[in-house]
């Protein structure tokens, strides 16, 4: 369960921000009624904090953090927000996450080109800007490549070159509760130095960043969020939200954003619609996984005949086995039906389908009278893939044990962010040397589309492997299929192993 803190008053008369009517939405709810209904599944008894006395509000938030045994979602009580956006914020893997607008241009490197150019300005000559409230939100500086906030200002404390704005919702994982409580109490002691325009969420983000907590960012993209304070703003927000397709956004969010080339362009373009169709008819992710398994076994049976028409049929079936392998995860994310059993079945039977197809191809070659030396290639493909899976899982486990990188800190009462920026710049220079420098250069090369997709394909992910099997088996024969799998798999293993050794040494 997620603990929820609402910053503002409880639902009151229509003149209060939370009592404003959202006439354009079904049921004509007030802002407060709608928001409390949305968070009921997260926290049936959310804490409400009045932000009028900043010091008292910060101490109250510190008390909530100290007693929290789960993650914490901080929401302004006058928020008009999509359910899907609340879900995406609370399910993020980041230790802390803030909702932002005007998000920096996506980039696979450390900074965007615009940011990189800006960072060539000496820190001492950079023009600091005071964090005045804008129509969109509260100015902060974010680093696009790392997708996190690097500096936050207040009404009286400067932030250098803000490039995005903080909107309000802030999600913090339970491991950061001690830091949050400590930060809030220190901020409360400094409350006399804050201006009347300072926002409580902004102050919390400001304190966490200066305490060295990595605060990630998420944009609104195709979902809606706005804080309203007048009936006119509520009317506008309700109308704009009613005009947005939340279900389509939810469906798009059900598709992984970091899939391979084949999956992105030849599967996910339509598999999401199969997932929605299946979810609306009550199919569970495990049932979809079973369909994928059956299609994989049927493909193996077709390959085992060794006859050309059945080889073509096997290629088609193994393609759709992979499509439904993608659909089961999309159903889980769209319908929000997750389970340990489903995750285990999905990972296990991905391997099963692949290996049973290897067996089917080898059997088909033998029954066609081509000799039994094909088993050497089949075992080589199976062994190579097994070793790659072993390396993947072992590296993932080892990487999770790695302590998080320590970010620079800055005193909460420092008048601007110059020292923080200097420390970040120094850290950036240190990480640009030796092996880390090479890794960083290769990462930044991913900003070019061709390099991005080449890197995705060279590791021979499951989509590319199933595509290679389907195409070569349908057009050629089992020997060509296995040679393709072994050759491409060897290149992928060498590339992956080199990268992981370099990252381990770095």
């Amino acid at each position: 369960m997620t603990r929820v803190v609402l910053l503002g008053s409880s639902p009151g008369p229509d003149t209060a921000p939370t009592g404003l009517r959202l006439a354009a939405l079904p049921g004509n709810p007030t802002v407060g009624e709608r928001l409390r209904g949305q968070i009921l599944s997260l926290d049936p008894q959310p804490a409400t904090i009045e932000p009028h006395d900043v010091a008292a509000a910060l101490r109250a938030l510190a008390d909530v953090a100290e007693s929290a045994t789960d993650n914490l979602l901080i929401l302004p009580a006058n928020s008009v927000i999509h359910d899907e956006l609340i879900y995406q914020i609370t399910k993020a893997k980041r230790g802390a996450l803030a909702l932002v607008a005007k998000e920096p241009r996506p980039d696979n490197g450390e900074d965007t080109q615009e940011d990189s150019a800006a960072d060539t300005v000496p820190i001492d000559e950079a023009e600091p800007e005071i964090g005045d409230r804008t129509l969109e939100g509260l100015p902060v500086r974010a680093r696009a490549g790392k997708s996190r906030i690097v500096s936050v200002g207040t009404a009286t404390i400067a932030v250098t070159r803000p490039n995005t704005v903080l909107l309000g919702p802030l999600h913090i994982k339970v491991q950061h509760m001690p830091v949050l409580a400590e930060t809030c109490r220190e901020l409360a002691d400094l409350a006399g130095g804050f201006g009347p325009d300072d926002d409580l969420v902004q102050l919390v983000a400001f304190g966490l960043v200066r305490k060295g907590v990595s605060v990630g960012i998420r944009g609104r993209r195709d979902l809606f969020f706005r804080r309203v304070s007048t009936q006119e703003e509520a009317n506008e927000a309700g109308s704009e939200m009613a005009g947005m397709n939340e279900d389509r956004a939810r469906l798009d969010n059900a598709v992984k954003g970091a899939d391979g080339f084949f999956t992105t362009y030849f599967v996910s373009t339509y598999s999401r619609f199969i997932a929605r169709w299946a979810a609306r008819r009550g199919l569970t992710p495990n049932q979809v996984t079973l369909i994928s398994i059956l299609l994989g076994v049927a493909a193996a049976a077709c390959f085992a005949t060794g006859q050309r028409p059945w080889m073509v049929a096997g290629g088609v079936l193994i393609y759709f086995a992979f499509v439904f392998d993608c659909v089961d995860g999309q159903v889980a994310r769209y319908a929000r039906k997750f389970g340990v059993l489903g995750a285990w079945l999905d990972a296990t039977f991905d391997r099963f389908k692949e290996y049973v197809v290897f067996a089917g191809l080898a059997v088909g070659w033998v029954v066609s009278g081509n000799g039994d030396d094909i088993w050497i290639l089949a075992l080589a493909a199976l062994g190579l893939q097994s070793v790659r899976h072993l390396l993947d899982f072992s590296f993932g486990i080892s990487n999770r044990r790695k302590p998080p990188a320590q970010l620079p800190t800055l005193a909460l009462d420092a008048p601007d962010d110059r020292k923080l920026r200097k420390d970040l710049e120094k850290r950036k220079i240190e990480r640009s040397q030796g092996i880390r420098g090479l890794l960083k250069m290769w990462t930044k090369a991913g900003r070019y589309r061709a390099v991005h997709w080449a890197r995705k394909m060279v590791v021979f992910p499951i989509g590319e492997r199933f595509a290679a099997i389907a195409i070569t088996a349908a057009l050629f024969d089992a020997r060509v299929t296995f040679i393709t799998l072994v050759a491409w798999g060897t290149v992928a293993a060498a590339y992956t192993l080199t990268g992981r050794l370099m990252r381990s040494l770095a």
Side-chain angles (χ1 to χ4, degrees):
M1 191 177 89
T2 299
R3 190 80 172 99
V4 179
V5 176
L6 295 178
L7 300 179
S9 58
S10 301
D14 289 348
T15 54
T18 54
L20 300 173
R21 292 282 172 184
L22 297 166
L25 298 182
N28 190 27
T30 67
V31 172
E33 289 169 350
R34 187 176 189 278
L35 187 60
R36 286 177 177 270
Q38 289 176 293
I39 63 176
L40 192 62
S41 61
L42 295 175
D43 188 349
Q45 294 183 318
T48 301
I49 295 177
E50 296 279 359
H52 305 304
D53 182 346
V54 175
L58 286 165
R59 291 190 177 96
L61 184 55
D63 292 339
V64 174
E66 286 176 341
S67 62
T69 57
D70 212 326
N71 303 336
L72 192 67
L73 174 63
I74 302 174
L75 269 175
N78 61 340
S79 298
V80 182
I81 184 171
H82 269 135
D83 292 337
E84 176 65 15
L85 189 51
I86 293 177
Y87 177 80
Q88 293 295 328
I89 292 170
T90 55
K91 296 303 177 185
K93 295 181 180 180
R94 300 293 296 255
L97 187 76
L99 184 67
V100 302
K102 298 180 181 177
E103 191 171 331
R105 180 156 46 94
D107 189 276
N108 289 323
E110 189 75 6
D111 294 297
T112 61
Q113 291 177 348
E114 179 183 352
D115 287 343
S116 297
D119 283 342
T120 61
V121 179
I123 295 297
D124 289 337
E125 297 177 14
E127 184 65 27
E129 299 183 20
I130 301 297
D132 293 329
R133 186 177 181 127
T134 67
L135 291 176
E136 283 282 355
L138 309 161
V140 298
R141 179 166 180 80
R143 175 162 290 171
K146 295 296 184 182
S147 298
R148 64 177 176 84
I149 295 173
V150 296
S151 181
V152 182
T154 70
T156 56
I157 297 178
V159 56
T160 304
R161 295 191 301 278
N163 58 4
T164 189
V165 291
L166 182 67
L167 294 178
L170 185 63
H171 185 250
I172 307 162
K173 290 288 183 70
V174 66
Q175 64 263 30
H176 292 310
M177 289 302 111
V179 178
L180 174 62
E182 177 189 354
T183 301
C184 287
R185 296 202 185 282
E186 288 188 28
L187 286 169
D189 294 336
L190 299 171
F194 299 130
D197 293 331
D198 279 316
D199 181 88
L200 196 56
V201 177
Q202 178 191 22
L203 291 177
V204 172
F206 165 81
L208 289 176
V209 169
R210 289 201 168 193
K211 285 288 185 179
V213 174
S214 178
V215 180
I217 58 174
R218 191 199 192 280
R220 290 173 300 187
R221 294 199 287 273
D222 49 358
L223 292 165
F224 186 84
F225 173 84
R226 185 173 298 167
R227 294 160 74 169
V228 297
S229 56
T230 66
Q231 187 59 55
E232 182 181 1
E233 290 178 355
N235 293 341
E236 183 182 341
S239 298
E240 189 173 342
M241 176 179 276
M244 298 180 72
N245 190 340
E246 183 181 7
D247 183 73
R248 180 55 189 265
R250 178 172 175 173
L251 184 62
D252 291 342
N253 282 320
V255 178
K256 288 182 180 178
D259 270 327
F261 178 84
F262 181 79
T263 307
T264 299
Y265 289 104
F266 296 95
V267 177
S268 294
T269 50
Y270 69 89
S271 62
R272 68 190 73 189
F273 302 108
I274 300 175
R276 180 167 62 185
W277 181 90
R280 289 179 174 177
R281 282 153 183 79
L283 288 178
T284 67
N286 290 348
Q287 289 170 333
V288 178
T289 298
L290 180 60
I291 294 173
S292 177
I293 294 168
L294 294 175
L295 288 171
V297 172
C302 290
F303 290 144
T305 65
Q307 300 175 17
R308 177 56 51 197
W310 289 108
M311 294 288 284
V312 174
V316 173
L317 287 171
I318 195 62
Y319 167 72
F320 282 105
F322 177 67
V323 169
F324 279 91
D325 182 45
C326 295
V327 169
D328 62 5
Q330 292 164 6
V331 169
R333 289 183 287 274
Y334 179 77
R336 298 171 186 171
K337 294 180 179 178
F338 303 99
V340 175
L341 176 62
W344 174 72
L345 286 176
D346 187 42
T348 301
F349 284 101
D350 277 352
R351 311 289 83 78
F352 170 78
K353 283 180 295 189
E354 198 167 1
Y355 296 161
V356 78
V357 163
F358 287 0
L361 286 166
V363 169
W365 179 269
V366 172
V367 299
S368 298
N370 296 310
D372 57 3
D373 58 336
I374 195 70
W375 289 105
I376 297 174
L377 285 174
L379 289 173
L382 189 150
L384 178 63
Q385 196 55 45
S386 296
V387 169
R388 290 189 61 211
H389 290 318
L390 177 63
L391 292 174
D392 288 344
F393 288 122
S394 60
F395 183 80
I397 292 172
S398 300
N399 215 33
R400 284 195 291 272
R401 293 173 179 167
K402 181 180 67 176
Q406 294 296 315
L407 295 176
T409 60
L410 183 64
L412 298 180
D413 58 354
D416 57 47
D417 62 357
R418 293 181 192 273
K419 183 178 184 303
L420 184 62
R421 299 271 301 156
K422 282 182 178 180
D423 290 342
L424 285 169
E425 187 68 24
K426 180 180 177 182
R427 185 171 179 266
K428 181 179 176 181
I429 293 172
E430 290 174 349
R431 294 174 66 88
S432 299
Q433 299 172 346
I435 295 177
R436 285 185 176 179
L438 292 174
L439 291 171
K440 182 180 175 182
M441 288 175 58
W442 184 232
T443 299
K444 292 183 74 171
R447 72 179 60 181
Y448 302 104
R449 196 170 183 82
V451 177
H452 170 78
W453 288 120
R455 290 190 337 195
K456 289 281 188 181
M457 295 176 69
V458 73
V459 297
F460 208 20
I462 188 170
E464 272 68 9
R465 293 201 304 274
F466 274 51
I469 293 171
I471 293 170
T472 57
L475 299 181
F476 303 104
D477 54 41
R479 181 182 291 275
V480 173
T481 299
F482 285 127
I483 290 174
T484 302
L485 291 172
V486 172
W488 196 343
T490 300
V491 172
Y495 173 83
T496 304
L497 185 59
T498 300
R500 286 175 178 171
L501 283 172
M502 292 177 70
R503 293 182 187 280
S504 299
L505 292 172

